[in-house]
Amino acid sequence: MSGTLPSVEATPDGAVEGLVARLRRGDEAAYEELVRLTGGRLLAVARRMLGGEDDAQDAVQETYLSAIKSLDRFDERSQMSTWLHRICVNACLMRLRTRRRRPERSMDDLLPQFVEDGHQRTPTRAWKPEASAGIEAEELRALVREKIEELPAAYREVLMLRDIEELDTEQTAEMLGLTPAAVKTRLHRARQALRTLLEPTFAGGRE
Amino acid sequence: MTNQPYITCRQLIDFIADYLDGTLEASARREFERHLGVCPSCVAYLESYRRTVALGKAALKPTEDAPGPEVPAGFVAAVKRALVEQKPAT
Ligand SMILES: [Zn+2]
């Protein structure tokens, strides 16, 4: 996993020295230290997965509660930050799944269409560069987030875990109860669907 | 060798994720690139796919005015309280 959460163990002051042992003893000061050291990064993860601040804080609190409860399953050779990240992603997923969602778009409409000989029904034209799409950077980011929200949940989840949280195929498969092959297929389709949704913004560039 | 038929656009598009991951084996990669050499539509598709992935990542990266990695003080206290409550009495 690449740099979603910098390692707690690498904090310059060595504050985490012995932290796990203290957490295991139920040391209350250690709880506080853990949240101070890792909370900011986990909140960032939860905010990007869930959107709202309240929901994000609830999910991160849940993350710590379940992490401490299962601390005896934490392998000390692995990174505390990586371990917490996965628990947090999982807590956010559970929350997303309980949200009531509007009816979903059909994936077929979002995937490229081909004619019998294997050519695209409508050839793809080159996209305009971002600078000439007539959209401010912040506006564009908001638009992309909106389009990611429009993806059917099964695809959005895979896109979030693989491309945004940068879990690998195996980790994503395990978390979602899918085979690695299904994760790969869904990721590819999710990106294709997002591409289709973004096309109107960038279409009409030079050939 | 050059008389060999090209893979179709549909096949090329199926292989894009593996191509970008660098996991296509050498012969498939050669065929992928040979098709790109004659098909502007697939060149445009590949490029827009690549940009889509980058745009997705950029859209969800924290911005400068987003709250930084500092943790709100009230939050630290709330979580600590919850953890202490959860702690089995010893
Ligand atoms: Zn083609």
Side-chain angles (χ1 to χ4, degrees):
Chain A
M1 190 176 60
S2 58
T4 318
L5 276 178
S7 93
V8 166
E9 286 74 3
T11 42
D13 56 7
V16 176
E17 197 74 37
L19 183 59
V20 175
R22 288 166 55 215
L23 290 169
R24 286 196 168 128
R25 288 199 303 270
D27 176 341
E28 294 180 15
Y31 291 159
E32 182 166 337
E33 212 171 298
L34 177 72
V35 180
R36 280 190 198 290
L37 284 167
T38 59
R41 297 293 173 166
L42 294 180
L43 283 169
V45 171
R47 283 180 195 125
R48 62 183 175 243
M49 285 189 71
L50 299 171
E53 181 66 20
D54 287 354
D55 234 16
Q57 292 200 3
D58 287 351
V60 174
Q61 171 157 330
E62 242 168 69
T63 300
Y64 287 117
L65 288 171
S66 84
I68 295 299
K69 216 189 279 181
S70 57
L71 202 56
D72 52 345
R73 272 181 276 146
F74 172 67
D75 176 354
E76 277 179 68
R77 286 163 304 178
S78 58
Q79 303 252 339
M80 176 65 100
S81 53
T82 306
W83 187 63
L84 288 171
H85 178 245
R86 288 182 62 183
I87 297 174
C88 184
V89 168
N90 202 45
C92 292
L93 266 181
M94 294 304 119
R95 263 165 195 273
L96 283 174
R97 288 179 169 185
T98 59
R99 279 185 190 172
R100 202 171 348 159
R101 297 201 51 86
R102 59 187 180 283
E104 296 191 326
R105 299 187 62 136
S106 147
M107 207 54 186
D108 286 345
D109 300 341
L110 298 175
L111 294 176
Q113 309 289 318
F114 299 94
V115 292
E116 233 160 78
D117 68 1
H119 281 88
Q120 273 198 272
R121 187 171 298 282
T122 315
T124 303
R125 299 187 56 201
W127 280 11
K128 285 184 275 205
E130 256 133 82
S132 60
I135 184 166
E136 295 294 324
E138 198 42 53
E139 211 185 321
L140 176 59
R141 285 162 42 96
L143 175 87
V144 174
R145 285 196 292 270
E146 195 182 294
K147 298 305 179 190
I148 290 174
E149 275 294 305
E150 278 183 42
L151 297 174
Y155 296 88
R156 193 182 55 248
E157 284 177 353
V158 173
L159 185 90
M160 292 292 299
L161 267 50
R162 289 282 292 109
D163 280 350
I164 313 295
E165 297 309 323
E166 300 184 333
L167 300 183
D168 65 26
T169 300
E170 305 290 327
Q171 292 168 333
T172 304
E174 192 188 319
M175 205 172 277
L176 297 175
L178 297 170
T179 63
V183 168
K184 285 187 171 187
T185 305
R186 278 198 205 175
L187 175 64
H188 183 46
R189 292 197 178 144
R191 289 164 165 180
Q192 288 182 289
L194 182 59
R195 199 207 71 85
T196 303
L197 291 168
L198 292 173
E199 179 127 64
T201 306
F202 296 110
R206 63 195 157 69
E207 287 288 310
Chain B
M1 166 119 198
T2 42
N3 293 331
Q4 207 179 318
Y6 288 97
I7 59 169
T8 64
C9 300
R10 181 198 280 272
Q11 289 171 316
L12 182 132
I13 288 175
D14 275 347
F15 287 142
I16 286 182
D18 292 331
Y19 177 75
L20 294 177
D21 278 349
T23 54
L24 271 191
E25 56 174 284
S27 63
R29 187 172 186 91
R30 261 197 311 277
E31 286 310 307
F32 189 100
E33 287 171 350
R34 199 163 71 93
H35 180 114
L36 286 179
V38 297
C39 182
S41 171
C42 281
V43 170
Y45 194 91
L46 173 65
E47 189 49 30
S48 58
Y49 182 102
R50 204 184 252 150
R51 274 177 66 188
T52 297
V53 176
L55 285 165
K57 289 179 198 262
L60 286 148
K61 263 199 336 225
T63 50
E64 283 175 25
D65 49 359
E70 305 80 48
V71 194
F75 180 69
V76 176
V79 173
K80 184 182 172 189
R81 213 162 35 240
L83 286 170
V84 170
E85 273 167 30
Q86 176 180 254
K87 189 168 68 169
T90 43

